[in-house]
């Protein structure tokens, strides 16, 4: 038996490759599926099943393409409805993969079709639980994504309570837990950085699995502090239910080099967003006016989804040379398939052509320390939980996720300063603000990490877990 976790940091997502006696099961595959096919080919194995834990909201799964290319059956849990051929399994239905078996455990709560998959080894012993978004390490799935009709997030949280206590907590402590996500995912509130755990460890450390917890306490704690989900989530769910274009076709049509002249022409004649994905240090030094920065080497795809929102939005890319196809692939992972092309020669070509450029002023934390003494406004674009944990005394909280809701707070005259934790998100925010006409925005390099090393007055540090 072989179990491989294929973890994608950009999405904080875990897909799984399981092999036994020449048969393979894939759980929650990414949209680009060739790696799974190649992995199976190395051992002359056949991909037999593609198990989906639920209709994912934060990324486009590769189930449809992988089934088309391999003939494998797609499996969903009870109540799922799809526009493509799939096995809608019954609760406790068993699927054989070589010498092992995988049992469907219907665990509604995160969504109504959510299911976990219990792997039993060749001796019939419970070995591992692929817990999807039902159980994370340190947390459980948010119960507000599948509200529909009369079903509220409180109802879903109640279903999740029952699922955890009837299907998961009775499992032996040594059963391995393989979740669908880790820290950084918007599918939960306080996910662990670890990506593999055990049932026993989760019973001891996960607040949602406390033995003496009542359903009312669970519902209150799980629903407390939930931020609104990113706007692109329902659009990804729709793609995962109904199907989508092959990523091979998307890459082929999107990887289109455009000269400076053609790039400018397309930008002027369409409503395309110019998305600059170079490193923030390069963006600061010069960029095409009105372009938005979201760096490929940060939490790229989720931030694109959270900030651009409409997956049909036309996009023109400015990427570092050689990173164009990688960027297009990552965009397609969250359903953004409408890339019109990329700037051939990257930003250097634009600059060498003598075209207009813009820059972003960025200062050190020590400069900010002096400016605060002059009562200069400071805005913190970290998440609310980060801000609550510790922040500059005089700073205002304007989280990047909801920047549009805070536009009226930024002064139109006079300099103001923005920072995040390390310098990535603040440059994203600054690029959006500059595109909106706020040319008086100044970035603080190094973010709160650098600010901590100064004598700038901050609130007392509070552990995030005590803020629940």
């Amino acid at each position: 038996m072989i179990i491989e976790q294929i973890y994608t940091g950009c999405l904080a997502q875990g897909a799984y490759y399981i092999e036994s006696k020449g048969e393979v099961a894939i759980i929650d595959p990414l949209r680009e599926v060739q790696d799974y096919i190649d992995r199976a080919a190395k051992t002359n194995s056949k991909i037999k099943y593609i198990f989906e834990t639920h209709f994912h909201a934060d990324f486009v799964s590769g189930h449809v393409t992988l089934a088309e290319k391999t003939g494998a059956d797609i499996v969903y849990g009870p109540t799922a409805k799809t526009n493509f051929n799939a096995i809608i399994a019954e609760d406790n239905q068993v699927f054989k993969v070589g010498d092992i078996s995988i049992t469907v455990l219907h665990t509604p709560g995160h969504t109504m079709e959510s299911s976990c998959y219990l792997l039993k080894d060749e001796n019939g012993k419970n070995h591992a639980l692929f817990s999807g978004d039902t159980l994370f390490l340190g947390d459980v799935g948010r119960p507000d994504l599948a509200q529909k009709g009369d079903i509220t997030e409180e109802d879903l949280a109640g279903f999740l309570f029952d699922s955890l206590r009837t299907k998961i907590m009775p499992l032996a402590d040594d059963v391995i837990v393989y979740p669908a996500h880790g820290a950084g995912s918007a599918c939960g509130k306080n996910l662990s950085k670890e990506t593999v755990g055990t049932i026993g460890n989760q019973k001891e450390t996960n607040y949602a699995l406390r033995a003496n917890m009542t359903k009312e306490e669970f519902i209150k704690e799980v629903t407390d502090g939930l931020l609104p989900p990113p706007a692109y989530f329902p659009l990804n769910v729709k793609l995962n239910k109904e199907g989508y274009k092959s990523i091979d076709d998307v890459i082929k049509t999107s990887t289109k080099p455009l000269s400076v002249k053609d790039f400018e022409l397309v930008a002027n004649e369409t409503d395309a967003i110019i998305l600059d994905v170079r490193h923030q240090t390069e963006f600061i030094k010069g960029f095409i006016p009105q372009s938005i920065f979201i760096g490929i080497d940060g939490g790229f795809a989720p931030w694109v989804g959270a900030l651009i929102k409409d997956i049909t939005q036309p996009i023109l890319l400015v990427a570092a040379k050689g990173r164009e196809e990688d960027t297009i692939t990552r965009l397609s992972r969250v359903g953004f398939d409408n890339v019109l092309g990329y700037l051939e020669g990257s930003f250097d070509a634009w600059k060498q052509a003598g075209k207009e450029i813009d820059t972003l002023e960025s200062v050190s934390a020590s400069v900010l320390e002096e400016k605060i003494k002059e009562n200069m406004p400071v805005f913190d674009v970290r998440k609310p939980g980060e801000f609550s944990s510790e922040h500059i005394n005089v700073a205002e909280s304007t989280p990047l996720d909801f920047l549009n809701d805070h536009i009226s707070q930024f002064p139109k005259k006079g300099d103001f300063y923005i920072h995040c934790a390390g310098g990535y998100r603040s440059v994203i925010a600054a690029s959006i603000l500059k595109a909106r006409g706020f040319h008086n925005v100044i970035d603080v390099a190094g973010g709160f990490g650098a600010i901590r090393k100064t004598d700038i007055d901050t609130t007392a540090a509070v552990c995030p877990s005590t803020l629940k």
Side-chain angles (χ1 to χ4, degrees):
M1 176 176 63
I2 297 170
I3 300 174
E4 293 182 8
Q5 182 184 65
I6 304 164
Y7 199 78
T8 304
C10 181
L11 294 172
Q13 188 266 344
Y16 296 92
Y17 176 99
I18 304 162
E19 181 184 315
S20 175
K21 290 285 185 177
E23 294 185 337
V24 173
I26 307 292
I27 297 179
D28 293 338
L30 283 181
R31 191 171 176 183
E32 62 272 28
V33 301
Q34 193 57 46
D35 285 349
Y36 310 120
I37 296 170
D38 293 343
R39 175 65 184 83
K42 286 182 180 179
T43 53
N44 293 316
S45 297
K46 177 178 175 57
I47 299 176
K48 185 178 182 181
Y49 294 116
I50 304 157
F51 292 99
E52 289 286 331
T53 55
H54 63 294
F55 292 122
H56 304 283
D58 58 316
F59 72 101
V60 180
S61 182
H63 54 308
V64 174
T65 303
L66 188 57
E68 289 173 350
K69 291 191 173 188
T70 65
D73 288 320
I74 300 170
V75 180
Y76 275 95
T79 77
K81 295 179 181 179
T82 69
N83 286 20
F84 45 81
N85 290 331
I87 296 172
I88 308 304
E90 296 179 1
D91 191 21
N92 293 311
Q93 186 169 342
V94 177
F95 295 84
K96 293 289 291 182
V97 180
D99 284 343
I100 64 174
S101 68
I102 294 175
T103 301
V104 179
L105 301 182
H106 187 210
T107 51
H110 175 64
T111 65
M112 290 306 294
E113 79 285 349
S114 283
S115 296
C116 300
Y117 296 104
L118 179 63
L119 185 152
K120 297 186 179 186
D121 65 20
E122 61 274 13
N123 298 314
K125 181 180 184 297
N126 293 343
H127 178 77
L129 181 75
F130 299 89
S131 58
D133 284 21
T134 297
L135 174 66
F136 299 126
L137 303 186
D139 205 350
V140 292
R142 57 189 299 165
D144 62 325
L145 300 183
Q147 300 175 70
K148 188 176 182 181
D150 295 332
I151 298 177
T152 67
E153 68 178 47
E154 287 76 18
D155 293 330
L156 288 162
F159 298 150
L160 183 58
F161 176 87
D162 294 336
S163 293
L164 291 165
R165 277 151 180 78
T166 61
K167 298 294 182 67
I168 292 178
M169 291 180 70
L171 296 172
D173 288 353
D174 64 349
V175 172
I176 300 167
V177 176
Y178 290 111
H181 293 292
S185 170
C187 293
K189 292 187 295 184
N190 298 288
L191 284 69
S192 169
K193 293 181 181 179
E194 301 299 320
T195 62
V196 180
T198 64
I199 292 291
N201 177 260
Q202 287 309 293
K203 288 177 184 176
E204 291 178 2
T205 62
N206 192 319
Y207 76 97
L209 301 189
R210 294 199 307 271
N212 60 349
M213 193 180 211
T214 67
K215 181 181 284 192
E216 289 71 26
E217 289 171 336
F218 177 90
I219 291 171
K220 184 178 186 303
E221 292 191 37
V222 168
T223 58
D224 182 49
L226 279 176
L227 297 174
Y232 80 103
F233 270 24
L235 304 175
N236 275 202
V237 169
K238 181 178 173 66
L239 289 175
N240 284 318
K241 283 184 176 180
E242 298 179 1
Y244 45 79
K245 290 189 292 186
S246 165
I247 193 172
D248 299 333
D249 293 337
V250 173
I251 292 172
K252 185 177 180 180
T253 57
S254 297
T255 311
K256 181 180 179 181
L258 298 171
S259 66
V260 170
K261 180 180 178 181
D262 289 340
F263 188 92
E264 188 174 31
L265 183 66
V266 174
N268 289 335
E269 292 187 350
T270 69
D271 60 350
I273 286 176
I274 299 176
L275 181 62
D276 193 321
V277 304
R278 297 173 297 148
H279 194 274
Q280 59 262 35
T281 56
E282 293 301 313
F283 181 85
I284 285 169
K285 291 185 288 188
F287 54 90
I288 298 172
Q290 303 293 310
S291 59
I292 302 301
F293 164 80
I294 305 179
I296 189 69
D297 292 321
F300 175 68
W303 280 120
V304 169
L307 297 171
I308 298 179
K309 301 180 181 180
D310 181 1
I311 60 174
T312 66
Q313 169 66 49
I315 294 172
L316 285 167
L317 284 179
V318 179
K321 295 176 184 177
R323 300 296 300 275
E324 299 89 359
E325 185 173 323
D326 180 26
T327 303
I328 291 163
T329 299
R330 294 196 193 191
L331 285 168
S332 71
R333 286 176 182 167
V334 287
F336 287 81
D337 294 346
N338 197 11
V339 175
L340 305 182
Y342 65 88
L343 180 59
E344 190 172 22
S346 192
F347 180 71
D348 288 342
W350 184 269
K351 189 175 180 180
Q352 289 165 9
K355 297 294 182 181
E356 181 184 357
I357 67 171
D358 200 352
T359 59
L360 172 63
E361 186 175 355
S362 183
V363 301
S364 66
S366 60
V367 170
L368 177 66
E369 185 175 6
E370 295 304 313
K371 294 300 181 181
I372 284 178
K373 295 174 184 176
E374 301 172 15
N375 296 318
M376 290 290 189
V378 182
F379 298 89
D380 186 332
V381 300
R382 296 176 300 159
K383 292 181 180 294
E386 295 173 276
F387 184 85
S388 299
S389 296
E390 186 180 4
H391 62 266
I392 296 173
N393 283 336
V394 298
E396 291 189 47
S397 177
T398 54
L400 175 60
D401 312 54
F402 313 107
L403 197 67
N404 286 337
D405 298 336
H406 298 280
I407 291 296
S408 62
Q409 293 175 239
F410 299 103
K412 294 182 178 179
K413 293 182 179 180
D415 292 344
F416 65 91
Y417 296 79
I418 63 172
H419 77 83
C420 60
Y424 176 79
R425 286 174 287 176
S426 60
V427 177
I428 297 175
S431 73
I432 294 171
L433 289 170
K434 291 211 79 170
R436 298 283 185 87
F438 290 90
H439 296 288
N440 49 334
V441 59
I442 299 174
D443 171 64
V444 180
F448 201 72
I451 289 166
R452 278 203 187 99
K453 298 175 183 177
T454 69
D455 293 326
I456 295 173
D457 289 335
T458 62
T459 60
V462 178
C463 178
S465 63
T466 66
L467 298 171
K468 287 183 182 178

